[in-house]
Amino acid sequence: MKNFTALLLASILCLQSCAQNDKEMNEKATQILSNLYKEVRHYDQRINYQADIFIGGCNLELLINDFPVQTYFDSGNGAISTSIPINTAILRPGTQTWKIRIYPIHDVTQINGVITKLPRASIEENARVEIKIEGIRYKENGDIEKHFGKVLEFKAPLIKDEKTGKNKLADAGKTYIEYSGTFEANVPYNLSGWQNSEDLRSIEPEMLKLEVVKEYEKISQWLKDRNLINIAQAKLKSKKEEAQALFYNNSTNNEYITDFIDTWGHENTKVQSLENYSLQFYGNGKIVTLISNTYKKSPLWATFKDDKNEDNYVIYSLYLHSPKGKKELEIIR
């Protein structure tokens, strides 16, 4: 009985200690990230560029200035419509580049007992892609204050099928399609970002891969330890730029902190091992990341129990660069 009582007391003390550690971790991470909005400049000139995307019957990757702002790799022939902010890929005012990469849809299959996704042989005739980019100013409560008008409106070209008389994708039948162009953005800021970063393509691929994996494994261990302080410090430079690009105010800063703790600080998180991945370059070779060969997303992910005690998961994307004159990799987005 004494042994049971001692064990119970030890368990209670352990739980209390863990709860206290989590609370302190949350508070310190909050302190690190709580003043992002105070460094935001030109708030009265703010303009948020929003991309409205419609796709059907294909997979897609949208890049702004060679940085991925939206990816979709899934199965099915249905249509999907979404709207996303793209300012974090816009580093300075002036001419910006856009690129749409189109791939065949994927079918879910099982190979040697492992569920995987395999792309179809080609992009099909019923595939559709549309994108619009518009400048918007938001009020502090999130309502739209002003429309600055569309700076881009693109539809993948269609042709009429001579047999059926129906429209079909002009470039159907290919395994890959790419459309690109430019648009003008009048943002009032200038971010360092990766403008002056090292070109990582000059590094021997296997050596670079080892360094990238080392960074991922470091973050993975911090996730396992729920070390929000180290994660917040590692992301601080990137988040300062994102706060400026998205014109954080006190309210949006607090929302970000809540999201940060919820995303990176799940309790009882089970971080999965890194496997089956490849290097992927962005930012004209100045940014590198890891992409799962199976799911075309980050291979860093974890499972957890949500509020309803149901199984859920979260994927952690990391975009790394090496500032000019440095060899070490850092998180830039």
Side-chain angles (χ1 to χ4, degrees):
M1 184 66 181
K2 290 182 179 180
N3 289 339
F4 173 78
T5 303
L7 183 61
L8 180 61
L9 179 60
S11 298
I12 293 172
L13 291 173
C14 180
L15 288 172
Q16 289 176 337
S17 176
C18 291
Q20 182 64 27
N21 288 340
D22 285 349
K23 182 181 178 181
E24 291 177 1
M25 193 71 71
N26 291 354
E27 290 174 350
K28 290 180 180 178
T30 297
Q31 289 175 5
I32 294 169
L33 300 169
S34 63
N35 293 319
L36 297 174
Y37 75 100
K38 292 183 178 179
E39 297 187 28
V40 172
R41 300 292 179 263
H42 314 297
Y43 188 81
D44 60 330
Q45 303 172 50
R46 65 194 181 281
I47 179 169
N48 295 76
Y49 287 92
Q50 198 80 9
D52 296 325
I53 305 166
F54 170 84
I55 63 171
C58 63
N59 284 322
L60 166 144
E61 186 177 30
L62 172 63
L63 297 93
I64 301 297
N65 296 320
D66 203 41
F67 183 83
V69 295
Q70 180 69 23
T71 59
Y72 180 83
F73 287 93
D74 214 334
S75 56
N77 290 301
I80 294 175
S81 181
T82 188
S83 182
I84 57 166
I86 62 171
N87 276 38
T88 53
I90 298 175
L91 303 182
R92 61 180 184 271
T95 303
Q96 318 295 323
T97 65
W98 64 269
K99 184 184 297 180
I100 298 174
R101 296 170 175 169
I102 303 174
Y103 306 88
I105 58 176
H106 288 62
D107 291 316
V108 178
T109 187
Q110 197 173 78
I111 300 177
N112 297 325
V114 178
I115 296 176
T116 188
K117 294 180 181 179
L118 292 178
R120 293 186 183 177
S122 62
I123 299 165
E124 299 175 1
E125 295 179 352
N126 65 340
R128 299 289 187 271
V129 176
E130 299 178 15
I131 176 174
K132 299 175 184 178
I133 296 178
E134 180 183 11
I136 298 171
R137 176 171 295 161
Y138 292 100
K139 298 179 182 178
E140 291 198 7
N141 65 4
D143 292 342
I144 294 176
E145 177 179 315
K146 182 179 181 180
H147 289 272
F148 291 89
K150 293 184 179 66
V151 295
L152 174 67
E153 192 163 3
F154 171 82
K155 292 183 180 181
L158 305 175
I159 58 174
K160 185 164 289 188
D161 189 302
E162 294 180 358
K163 294 181 179 179
T164 65
K166 295 180 179 181
N167 287 333
K168 64 180 182 179
L169 187 71
D171 293 311
K174 298 178 180 180
T175 58
Y176 171 76
I177 304 170
E178 182 175 298
Y179 302 110
S180 60
T182 62
F183 67 94
E184 296 296 316
N186 297 315
V187 293
Y189 58 76
N190 196 318
L191 306 177
S192 296
W194 49 92
Q195 292 189 70
N196 299 312
S197 302
E198 299 288 349
D199 190 336
L200 300 172
R201 294 170 297 188
S202 63
I203 302 174
E204 197 279 319
E206 285 305 311
M207 184 180 299
L208 177 62
K209 193 173 186 178
L210 287 174
E211 290 301 311
V212 174
V213 171
K214 185 169 72 173
E215 290 300 309
Y216 270 72
E217 289 179 340
K218 179 174 69 177
I219 299 293
S220 176
Q221 188 59 53
W222 288 346
L223 282 166
K224 292 174 183 176
D225 297 339
R226 202 180 181 277
N227 194 330
L228 292 180
I229 296 173
N230 282 359
I231 296 172
Q233 290 285 11
K235 292 176 66 67
L236 183 58
K237 180 180 178 181
S238 167
K239 291 312 301 182
K240 284 183 178 180
E241 291 202 340
E242 290 186 33
Q244 174 62 73
L246 298 175
F247 302 100
Y248 274 21
N249 55 36
N250 190 21
S251 177
T252 49
N253 199 148
N254 289 335
E255 289 173 5
Y256 164 68
I257 292 172
T258 299
D259 181 68
F260 172 83
I261 293 173
D262 286 346
T263 301
W264 295 88
H266 280 298
E267 295 181 3
N268 303 315
T269 294
K270 294 182 180 179
V271 182
Q272 307 300 305
S273 59
L274 295 172
E275 56 185 26
N276 192 22
Y277 49 77
S278 300
L279 284 181
Q280 179 72 52
F281 292 101
Y282 292 108
N284 300 309
K286 297 179 178 181
I287 295 174
V288 68
T289 189
L290 294 181
I291 297 292
S292 164
N293 295 326
T294 302
Y295 299 104
K296 305 302 179 185
K297 297 178 181 179
S298 172
L300 180 59
W301 65 290
T303 59
F304 64 95
K305 294 286 187 181
D306 61 20
D307 295 338
K308 298 179 181 178
N309 202 36
E310 295 178 353
D311 291 328
N312 211 328
Y313 70 92
V314 59
I315 296 173
Y316 303 96
S317 296
L318 300 174
Y319 296 95
L320 308 172
H321 81 132
S322 182
K324 196 72 174 178
K326 291 187 177 181
K327 294 182 179 180
E328 298 80 10
L329 293 170
E330 298 178 359
I331 297 174
I332 192 58
R333 288 293 182 270

